Amino acid sequence: RPHPVAPPGVAGAAEMAVDEAAAAAALAKKVEALEEALRRQEEQHRAELQKCRDELTDLTKLVSDLDAFAQKSTGVGRGSGADYFTRRVEWTITDFSRILREKGRGESLWSPKFKAAGLDGLHLEFFPKGREKTVFDGFCSLFLWCPSGTKIKYRLWVGSFLRAPDEDEYTGRIGHGHSNFCPVEPEVNSETDSIVVGVDLLDVRMQSDFSETGLRLISTSLESLVAREVQVVQNRHVERATWKIPRISEHLRQLPKGASMWSQLFTAAGIREILLEFYPNGSTNTTKDGYCAFYIRCPVGVSMIVTLFVGSVKKGPIKTTFDSMTGKGLPDFCPVTAEIGADDSIEVGIELQNQPSKVLQLES
């Protein structure tokens, strides 16, 4: 019998139905894939959100522990009267080799809370392996924490390594100091397995605001001003200052280009607060290989005729006036190795004449 043939319209409808079913299946598959991708994104989002919550919980606990420690701990000191004259704080950290093994970069040690210079609630924070912003390998970091409202001039040190004095104003809960302080290894006492860090408090102004009364109380250290003026008088006839730096070969190995050393503050020729700044491997502006850089800093307004020397090499005399805190000197001073003595030391310094002001200015 002849096979029946469907009318043309019926066959087209059947093909369309098949195509629509295939399209619907493909669409359903795409929807399913999108739903799966959305589900994975939601799971990832939940995981990231939980991680943030965990980190927030840890930070909250850390802040709570620090606050509890601050409230429970008794500040080291002898009372406000005696502590007003305490201007140097030394913190000895023992068992230091173990601490270096256990502490990583960005992990710090906190000193006990202490009282000094009439202030309460001071802390030192020491990073044995530096913090996140430390750029030199093997360098440590050191910071001073003071109460809010404190304006202070201070000098931090690690072992025998001194930094230039800093002046900072504390307007909140924050530490001030240096991320790239110094190489830590040379400052460790290998015999006692310890390191000593500390701070010299040079001048303190404490500001207390009482907004309801309109009063602002500001304290300053008069005895430090008197002591400095006495030193100026005692050293008024000194015209040459020599800074002998021992173990210079070690400093050359440890301090990269751009890292400097600072002398003690001193007075000479009637000038107060003179500071010498020496770069064994040159400053960032040094252009000659093997050359050191040497600068002098003085208070703003000081004029002098000065000769700088490193070993037997002299530069000057030069007449200059200090119109800012920026040092005066030379980035390409001399080849440093040629000036090292037989005892592995180098002597740097200045010969100067003060140019006294001939104008007396009175203020009403």
Side-chain angles (χ1 to χ4, degrees):
R1 299 174 68 179
H3 188 72
V5 178
V10 175
E15 291 176 359
M16 291 179 60
V18 171
D19 293 340
E20 290 176 355
L27 181 61
K29 192 172 183 179
K30 289 183 179 180
V31 170
E32 183 179 352
L34 290 173
E35 289 176 345
E36 176 63 20
L38 181 60
R39 183 185 64 79
R40 288 197 300 268
Q41 289 181 358
E42 289 178 349
E43 289 180 354
Q44 183 179 0
H45 176 70
R46 283 196 295 269
E48 292 176 352
L49 185 59
Q50 184 60 43
K51 182 180 178 182
C52 291
R53 287 172 177 168
D54 293 340
E55 291 178 352
L56 181 59
T57 300
D58 293 341
L59 289 174
T60 303
K61 184 177 183 302
L62 177 60
V63 172
S64 177
D65 291 343
L66 288 174
D67 288 340
F69 171 78
Q71 292 175 2
K72 292 180 181 179
S73 62
T74 301
V76 177
R78 298 168 296 175
S80 59
D83 289 327
Y84 187 84
F85 296 97
T86 300
R87 295 306 168 102
R88 183 178 179 88
V89 178
E90 299 180 356
W91 176 28
T92 301
I93 304 172
T94 58
D95 199 10
F96 194 67
S97 58
R98 176 187 60 81
I99 292 174
L100 277 179
R101 289 193 304 270
E102 296 179 353
K103 292 289 184 181
R105 187 184 183 95
E107 295 182 315
S108 65
L109 300 170
W110 290 84
S111 74
K113 184 172 67 174
F114 58 88
K115 303 174 183 178
L119 301 174
D120 193 2
L122 285 77
H123 283 284
L124 288 172
E125 185 181 14
F126 181 59
F127 294 79
K129 293 185 177 179
R131 56 196 297 260
E132 295 78 5
K133 294 183 179 180
T134 303
V135 297
F136 298 133
D137 292 337
F139 272 52
C140 57
S141 307
L142 183 60
F143 295 86
L144 173 67
W145 291 66
C146 293
S148 180
T150 302
K151 187 173 183 180
I152 185 170
K153 183 176 183 179
Y154 61 98
R155 185 174 202 180
L156 295 167
W157 47 270
V158 173
S160 61
F161 195 96
L162 304 172
R163 294 290 303 203
D166 294 288
E167 288 191 54
D168 288 305
E169 185 172 359
Y170 290 78
T171 58
R173 187 176 175 81
I174 189 173
H176 289 285
H178 299 275
S179 296
N180 297 281
F181 197 91
C182 72
V184 69
E185 183 179 351
E187 308 308 326
V188 178
N189 187 328
S190 58
E191 295 182 359
T192 61
D193 191 23
S194 65
I195 190 170
V196 182
V197 306
V199 60
D200 295 320
L201 306 174
L202 305 176
D203 196 13
V204 177
R205 294 180 64 191
M206 183 66 190
Q207 177 177 299
S208 301
D209 291 323
F210 300 90
S211 56
E212 67 277 5
T213 63
L215 290 177
R216 173 180 294 176
L217 306 182
I218 302 173
S219 63
T220 188
S221 58
L222 295 178
E223 76 284 353
S224 63
L225 298 177
V226 173
R228 288 203 297 268
E229 293 303 320
V230 170
Q231 193 177 49
V232 171
V233 175
Q234 291 175 340
N235 295 344
R236 66 186 182 277
H237 298 302
V238 174
E239 295 181 348
R240 179 184 172 94
T242 301
W243 175 25
K244 185 174 182 178
I245 305 173
R247 299 181 292 115
I248 187 61
S249 296
E250 184 176 324
H251 293 305
L252 282 169
R253 291 192 303 270
Q254 296 288 344
L255 297 176
K257 182 177 181 179
S260 62
M261 306 173 64
W262 290 268
S263 71
Q264 295 276 3
L265 287 170
F266 63 94
T267 66
I271 304 172
R272 60 175 61 81
E273 295 186 357
I274 303 174
L275 183 69
L276 304 181
E277 185 175 3
F278 182 62
Y279 294 78
N281 285 301
S283 68
T284 54
N285 296 320
T286 300
T287 59
K288 299 179 180 180
D289 293 338
Y291 273 59
C292 59
F294 187 34
Y295 300 88
I296 177 177
R297 296 189 190 185
C298 289
V300 175
V302 169
S303 296
M304 64 169 63
I305 299 175
V306 60
T307 299
L308 287 79
F309 63 85
V310 173
S312 61
V313 179
K314 292 186 177 183
K315 303 289 184 179
I318 303 170
K319 185 175 182 179
T320 185
T321 298
F322 292 83
D323 51 10
S324 69
M325 292 296 293
T326 305
K328 305 281 188 177
L330 295 172
D332 295 292
F333 198 92
C334 69
V336 66
T337 55
E339 305 307 321
I340 298 177
D343 59 350
D344 194 29
S345 68
I346 193 169
E347 291 188 352
V348 304
I350 56 171
E351 297 172 352
L352 55 82
Q353 291 178 251
N354 188 16
Q355 299 297 297
S357 173
K358 297 182 179 180
V359 177
L360 176 63
Q361 181 175 345
L362 301 178
E363 295 183 1
S364 59

